């Protein structure tokens, strides 16, 4: 009985993982016969889990939306609050939790009935998180769709605008969403190019699930984050920024530690480093910190900082109407 119970929990976990499981593949994962699998599915149904079954050679099983996990005694408002909170965290509100939040969000959204999904979308549409970002604004629904495709091993179609090019349709086998710096990237096997590709999510529109499942390939090196870092490091236009600030390292980390590495130079000075493709971001950080600084690299940052200073001085200049009494 203990082995049967453990197998039932494993079966329930697998059914939560994918939108649809072919019966033969599910039985292989559980190391049981198709007959035993059918009995285990019937036991789940007796426990109140609505498992849909498709008969025939290509038959399989899937859980109905909203019934993939045991009851958690959450009312509608609590379920909505959890989903909205995960969306906020995925946007970068909590440093280091972006990817975890997207994976959890994909699970939660998949389980919710349509009426609650509509409530979440409506609430998200009329709220804005007060998070210091600087990165591009993403569509939470698009991010969730991509996450579902990665989790369900389902082919994905979308429109994509590359850095130097026109919008074009893409058909991919999505592998992993990766958050680096202030951006989200989708790592996927591009079916049209027969090769691994990365896509910036903010340049991706209208993602749609195709319903066609695939067997995942092994990404080169085995580590999606390391692969993505190597990919970004090869981009020639990125700037390696290094600036020494007349502030203690602890004070700087509190404000920008999520967006840059901070190392102490002395008790009263520190060095910040970052790799960016837009020098406007480090200029904004230097303005917010409001402290003396020395730019070490790149040389282009000197000119960009001077341009920003000139713009601010012009905007702050005295604009009194002619003839106005200066006193």
């Amino acid at each position: 009985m203990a082995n049967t119970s453990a197998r039932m929990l494993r079966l329930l976990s697998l059914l939560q993982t994918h939108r649809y499981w072919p019966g033969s593949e599910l039985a292989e994962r559980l190391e049981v016969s198709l007959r035993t699998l059918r009995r285990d599915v019937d036991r789940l149904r007796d426990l109140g889990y609505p498992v849909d079954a498709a008969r025939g050679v290509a038959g399989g099983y899937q859980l109905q939306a909203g019934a993939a996990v045991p009851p958690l005694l959450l009312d509608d408002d609590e379920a909505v609050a959890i989903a909205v909170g995960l969306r906020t965290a995925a946007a970068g509100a909590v440093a280091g939790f972006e990817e975890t939040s997207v994976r959890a969000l994909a699970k939660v959204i998949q389980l919710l009935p349509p009426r609650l999904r509509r409530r979440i979308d409506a609430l998200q549409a009329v709220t804005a998180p007060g998070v210091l970002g600087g990165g591009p604004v993403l569509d939470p629904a698009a991010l969730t769709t991509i996450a579902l495709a990665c989790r369900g091993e389902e082919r994905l179609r979308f429109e994509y605008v590359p850095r130097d090019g026109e919008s074009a349709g893409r058909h991919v086998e999505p592998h992993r969403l990766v958050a680096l710096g202030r951006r989200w990237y989708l790592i996927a096997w591009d079916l049209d190019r027969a090769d691994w590709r990365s896509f910036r999510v903010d340049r991706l529109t209208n993602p749609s699930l195709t319903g066609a499942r695939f067997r995942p390939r092994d990404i080169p090196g085995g580590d999606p984050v390391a692969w993505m870092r190597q990919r970004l490091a090869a981009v020639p236009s990125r700037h390696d920024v290094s600036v020494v600030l007349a502030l203690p390292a602890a004070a700087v980390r509190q404000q920008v530690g999520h967006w840059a590495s901070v190392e102490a130079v002395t008790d009263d000075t520190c060095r910040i480093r970052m790799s960016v493709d837009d020098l406007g971001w480090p200029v904004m950080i230097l303005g917010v910190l409001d402290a003396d600084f020395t730019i070490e690299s790149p040389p282009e940052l000197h000119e960009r900082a001077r341009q920003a200073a000139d713009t601010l001085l012009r905007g702050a200049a005295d604009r009194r109407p002619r003839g106005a009494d200066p006193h």
Side-chain angles (χ1 to χ4, degrees):
M1 181 60 71
N3 290 336
T4 301
S5 299
R7 191 175 67 243
M8 294 279 289
L9 290 174
R10 175 63 174 158
L11 171 58
L12 184 58
S13 176
L14 289 172
L15 287 171
Q16 293 175 37
T17 303
H18 295 297
R19 295 164 60 85
Y20 178 82
W21 275 100
S24 57
E25 188 174 346
L26 195 54
E28 182 181 349
R29 289 290 189 99
L30 294 170
E31 298 181 349
V32 298
S33 66
L34 288 173
R35 182 178 180 181
T36 299
L37 174 62
R38 286 193 293 270
R39 287 201 302 264
D40 288 348
V41 168
D42 288 338
R43 291 190 183 100
L44 284 181
R45 289 169 175 157
D46 291 339
L47 292 172
Y49 295 97
V51 182
D52 290 335
R55 300 186 181 279
V57 177
Y61 302 93
Q62 70 180 114
L63 281 169
Q64 294 179 9
V69 295
L72 296 178
L73 300 180
L74 294 176
D75 59 28
D76 288 358
D77 291 338
E78 290 169 334
V80 171
I82 289 174
V84 172
L86 287 171
R87 281 188 173 184
T88 302
V94 184
F97 282 88
E98 299 95 334
E99 291 186 54
T100 305
S101 299
V102 167
R103 291 198 300 270
L105 179 60
K107 294 179 182 178
V108 171
I109 292 296
Q110 189 175 18
L111 308 181
L112 294 178
R115 59 185 177 82
L116 291 187
R117 296 188 196 185
R118 288 192 292 270
R119 283 185 57 184
I120 294 167
D121 291 338
L123 181 59
Q124 196 75 25
V126 297
T127 59
V131 180
L132 175 61
V137 177
L138 301 180
D139 178 2
L143 197 62
T144 304
T145 299
I146 298 168
L148 287 172
C150 293
R151 181 170 177 264
E153 297 169 1
E154 185 172 346
R155 288 179 176 176
L156 188 70
R157 289 189 182 276
F158 53 83
E159 293 292 321
Y160 189 72
V161 181
R163 187 170 189 173
D164 299 312
E166 298 181 355
S167 176
R170 296 296 180 93
H171 187 201
V172 305
E173 294 178 350
H175 180 75
R176 177 78 176 271
L177 275 168
V178 174
L180 289 176
R182 296 169 291 127
R183 305 191 191 282
W184 278 98
Y185 300 89
L186 168 64
I187 300 174
W189 177 265
D190 192 314
L191 291 166
D192 297 322
R193 292 158 180 78
D195 196 7
W196 288 99
R197 290 288 191 271
S198 63
F199 303 93
R200 266 180 46 177
V201 176
D202 59 297
R203 292 177 178 165
L204 182 158
T205 58
N206 302 320
S208 61
L209 302 172
T210 65
R213 295 193 55 239
F214 63 91
R215 186 175 294 276
R217 306 168 190 265
D218 293 327
I219 192 168
D223 185 343
V225 177
W227 184 91
M228 193 66 235
R229 289 187 185 278
Q230 292 174 359
R231 188 94 172 180
L232 293 176
V235 178
S237 63
R238 291 182 66 82
H239 304 281
D240 292 323
V241 175
S242 179
V243 179
V244 174
L245 286 158
L247 285 173
V252 175
R253 286 194 189 98
Q254 289 180 353
Q255 298 190 62
V256 300
H258 180 43
W259 310 112
S261 64
V262 183
E263 59 186 43
V265 177
T266 67
D267 290 343
D268 300 319
T269 63
C270 67
R271 176 180 288 107
I272 62 172
R273 300 181 188 272
M274 65 184 76
S275 181
V276 298
D277 51 17
D278 183 358
L279 290 175
W281 175 241
V283 168
M284 187 185 79
I285 286 182
L286 295 176
V288 170
L289 292 174
D290 191 23
D292 291 339
F293 61 86
T294 301
I295 297 173
E296 296 180 324
S297 66
E300 297 87 351
L301 185 55
H302 289 274
E303 181 59 28
R304 188 63 180 270
R306 280 193 290 268
Q307 292 174 355
D310 291 342
T311 300
L312 290 172
L313 287 173
R314 287 195 302 270
D318 190 351
R319 299 295 186 183
R320 288 192 302 270
R322 291 181 180 180
D325 185 356
H327 303 291

